PDB file of all heavy atoms in Angstrom:
ATOM      1  N   PHE A  25     -24.098 -40.143 -10.307  1.00 50.00           N
ATOM      2  CA  PHE A  25     -23.183 -39.305 -11.037  1.00 50.00           C
ATOM      3  C   PHE A  25     -23.762 -39.078 -12.469  1.00 50.00           C
ATOM      4  O   PHE A  25     -24.402 -39.962 -13.047  1.00 50.00           O
ATOM      5  CB  PHE A  25     -21.810 -39.963 -11.192  1.00 50.00           C
ATOM      6  CG  PHE A  25     -21.099 -40.172  -9.886  1.00 50.00           C
ATOM      7  CD1 PHE A  25     -21.130 -41.413  -9.251  1.00 50.00           C
ATOM      8  CD2 PHE A  25     -20.430 -39.127  -9.268  1.00 50.00           C
ATOM      9  CE1 PHE A  25     -20.513 -41.614  -8.051  1.00 50.00           C
ATOM     10  CE2 PHE A  25     -19.779 -39.309  -8.066  1.00 50.00           C
ATOM     11  CZ  PHE A  25     -19.806 -40.555  -7.454  1.00 50.00           C
ATOM     12  N   SER A  26     -23.496 -37.937 -12.951  1.00 52.00           N
ATOM     13  CA  SER A  26     -23.849 -37.639 -14.384  1.00 52.00           C
ATOM     14  C   SER A  26     -22.731 -36.792 -14.990  1.00 52.00           C
ATOM     15  O   SER A  26     -22.071 -36.015 -14.299  1.00 52.00           O
ATOM     16  CB  SER A  26     -25.203 -36.929 -14.467  1.00 52.00           C
ATOM     17  OG  SER A  26     -25.089 -35.645 -13.817  1.00 52.00           O
ATOM     18  N   LEU A  27     -22.472 -36.993 -16.280  1.00 52.00           N
ATOM     19  CA  LEU A  27     -21.433 -36.238 -16.991  1.00 52.00           C
ATOM     20  C   LEU A  27     -22.098 -35.451 -18.127  1.00 52.00           C
ATOM     21  O   LEU A  27     -22.985 -35.965 -18.832  1.00 52.00           O
ATOM     22  CB  LEU A  27     -20.408 -37.211 -17.582  1.00 52.00           C
ATOM     23  CG  LEU A  27     -19.476 -37.975 -16.606  1.00 52.00           C
ATOM     24  CD1 LEU A  27     -18.585 -38.939 -17.371  1.00 52.00           C
ATOM     25  CD2 LEU A  27     -18.638 -36.984 -15.828  1.00 52.00           C
ATOM     26  N   SER A  28     -21.621 -34.260 -18.349  1.00 52.00           N
ATOM     27  CA  SER A  28     -22.066 -33.482 -19.523  1.00 52.00           C
ATOM     28  C   SER A  28     -20.799 -32.983 -20.206  1.00 52.00           C
ATOM     29  O   SER A  28     -19.831 -32.573 -19.596  1.00 52.00           O
ATOM     30  CB  SER A  28     -22.945 -32.302 -19.108  1.00 52.00           C
ATOM     31  OG  SER A  28     -22.239 -31.442 -18.286  1.00 52.00           O
ATOM     32  N   VAL A  29     -20.813 -33.048 -21.539  1.00 50.00           N
ATOM     33  CA  VAL A  29     -19.648 -32.626 -22.366  1.00 50.00           C
ATOM     34  C   VAL A  29     -20.066 -31.503 -23.270  1.00 50.00           C
ATOM     35  O   VAL A  29     -21.075 -31.593 -23.981  1.00 50.00           O
ATOM     36  CB  VAL A  29     -19.112 -33.846 -23.176  1.00 50.00           C
ATOM     37  CG1 VAL A  29     -17.851 -33.387 -23.966  1.00 50.00           C
ATOM     38  CG2 VAL A  29     -18.769 -34.990 -22.273  1.00 50.00           C
ATOM     39  N   SER A  30     -19.258 -30.464 -23.258  1.00 52.00           N
ATOM     40  CA  SER A  30     -19.458 -29.322 -24.152  1.00 52.00           C
ATOM     41  C   SER A  30     -18.113 -28.800 -24.633  1.00 52.00           C
ATOM     42  O   SER A  30     -17.353 -28.195 -23.871  1.00 52.00           O
ATOM     43  CB  SER A  30     -20.249 -28.201 -23.429  1.00 52.00           C
ATOM     44  OG  SER A  30     -20.370 -27.055 -24.265  1.00 52.00           O
ATOM     45  N   GLY A  31     -17.767 -29.088 -25.891  1.00 51.00           N
ATOM     46  CA  GLY A  31     -16.458 -28.689 -26.394  1.00 51.00           C
ATOM     47  C   GLY A  31     -15.346 -29.469 -25.667  1.00 51.00           C
ATOM     48  O   GLY A  31     -15.362 -30.677 -25.586  1.00 51.00           O
ATOM     49  N   ASN A  32     -14.439 -28.699 -25.109  1.00 50.00           N
ATOM     50  CA  ASN A  32     -13.346 -29.291 -24.361  1.00 50.00           C
ATOM     51  C   ASN A  32     -13.614 -29.256 -22.859  1.00 50.00           C
ATOM     52  O   ASN A  32     -12.708 -29.392 -22.060  1.00 50.00           O
ATOM     53  CB  ASN A  32     -12.022 -28.629 -24.678  1.00 50.00           C
ATOM     54  CG  ASN A  32     -11.934 -27.198 -24.163  1.00 50.00           C
ATOM     55  OD1 ASN A  32     -13.001 -26.593 -23.970  1.00 50.00           O
ATOM     56  ND2 ASN A  32     -10.767 -26.657 -24.050  1.00 50.00           N
ATOM     57  N   ARG A  33     -14.842 -29.090 -22.480  1.00 53.00           N
ATOM     58  CA  ARG A  33     -15.221 -28.925 -21.052  1.00 53.00           C
ATOM     59  C   ARG A  33     -16.006 -30.157 -20.613  1.00 53.00           C
ATOM     60  O   ARG A  33     -16.998 -30.556 -21.264  1.00 53.00           O
ATOM     61  CB  ARG A  33     -15.999 -27.671 -20.834  1.00 53.00           C
ATOM     62  CG  ARG A  33     -16.382 -27.435 -19.355  1.00 53.00           C
ATOM     63  CD  ARG A  33     -17.237 -26.148 -19.244  1.00 53.00           C
ATOM     64  NE  ARG A  33     -17.624 -25.918 -17.867  1.00 53.00           N
ATOM     65  CZ  ARG A  33     -16.907 -25.213 -17.008  1.00 53.00           C
ATOM     66  NH1 ARG A  33     -15.722 -24.668 -17.405  1.00 53.00           N
ATOM     67  NH2 ARG A  33     -17.339 -24.986 -15.781  1.00 53.00           N
ATOM     68  N   ILE A  34     -15.579 -30.804 -19.523  1.00 50.00           N
ATOM     69  CA  ILE A  34     -16.300 -31.901 -18.942  1.00 50.00           C
ATOM     70  C   ILE A  34     -16.854 -31.479 -17.614  1.00 50.00           C
ATOM     71  O   ILE A  34     -16.159 -30.972 -16.750  1.00 50.00           O
ATOM     72  CB  ILE A  34     -15.341 -33.121 -18.745  1.00 50.00           C
ATOM     73  CG1 ILE A  34     -14.745 -33.554 -20.095  1.00 50.00           C
ATOM     74  CG2 ILE A  34     -16.100 -34.299 -18.160  1.00 50.00           C
ATOM     75  CD1 ILE A  34     -13.681 -34.628 -19.968  1.00 50.00           C
ATOM     76  N   ARG A  35     -18.143 -31.749 -17.412  1.00 55.00           N
ATOM     77  CA  ARG A  35     -18.792 -31.321 -16.155  1.00 55.00           C
ATOM     78  C   ARG A  35     -19.358 -32.563 -15.500  1.00 55.00           C
ATOM     79  O   ARG A  35     -20.107 -33.338 -16.115  1.00 55.00           O
ATOM     80  CB  ARG A  35     -19.934 -30.315 -16.441  1.00 55.00           C
ATOM     81  CG  ARG A  35     -20.611 -29.771 -15.237  1.00 55.00           C
ATOM     82  CD  ARG A  35     -21.694 -28.783 -15.668  1.00 55.00           C
ATOM     83  NE  ARG A  35     -22.399 -28.254 -14.531  1.00 55.00           N
ATOM     84  CZ  ARG A  35     -22.053 -27.205 -13.820  1.00 55.00           C
ATOM     85  NH1 ARG A  35     -20.938 -26.561 -14.137  1.00 55.00           N
ATOM     86  NH2 ARG A  35     -22.761 -26.742 -12.823  1.00 55.00           N
ATOM     87  N   ALA A  36     -18.942 -32.812 -14.239  1.00 50.00           N
ATOM     88  CA  ALA A  36     -19.386 -33.984 -13.489  1.00 50.00           C
ATOM     89  C   ALA A  36     -20.195 -33.533 -12.311  1.00 50.00           C
ATOM     90  O   ALA A  36     -19.812 -32.624 -11.578  1.00 50.00           O
ATOM     91  CB  ALA A  36     -18.188 -34.840 -13.047  1.00 50.00           C
ATOM     92  N   ILE A  37     -21.377 -34.207 -12.124  1.00 51.00           N
ATOM     93  CA  ILE A  37     -22.266 -33.838 -11.014  1.00 51.00           C
ATOM     94  C   ILE A  37     -22.559 -35.070 -10.195  1.00 51.00           C
ATOM     95  O   ILE A  37     -22.967 -36.092 -10.692  1.00 51.00           O
ATOM     96  CB  ILE A  37     -23.569 -33.202 -11.534  1.00 51.00           C
ATOM     97  CG1 ILE A  37     -23.282 -31.980 -12.407  1.00 51.00           C
ATOM     98  CG2 ILE A  37     -24.489 -32.848 -10.358  1.00 51.00           C
ATOM     99  CD1 ILE A  37     -24.537 -31.355 -12.966  1.00 51.00           C
TER     100      ILE A  37
END
Side-chain angles (χ1 to χ4, degrees):
F25 298 99
S26 63
L27 292 176
S28 64
V29 182
S30 176
N32 67 339
R33 183 182 179 90
I34 301 174
R35 184 179 179 87
I37 302 177

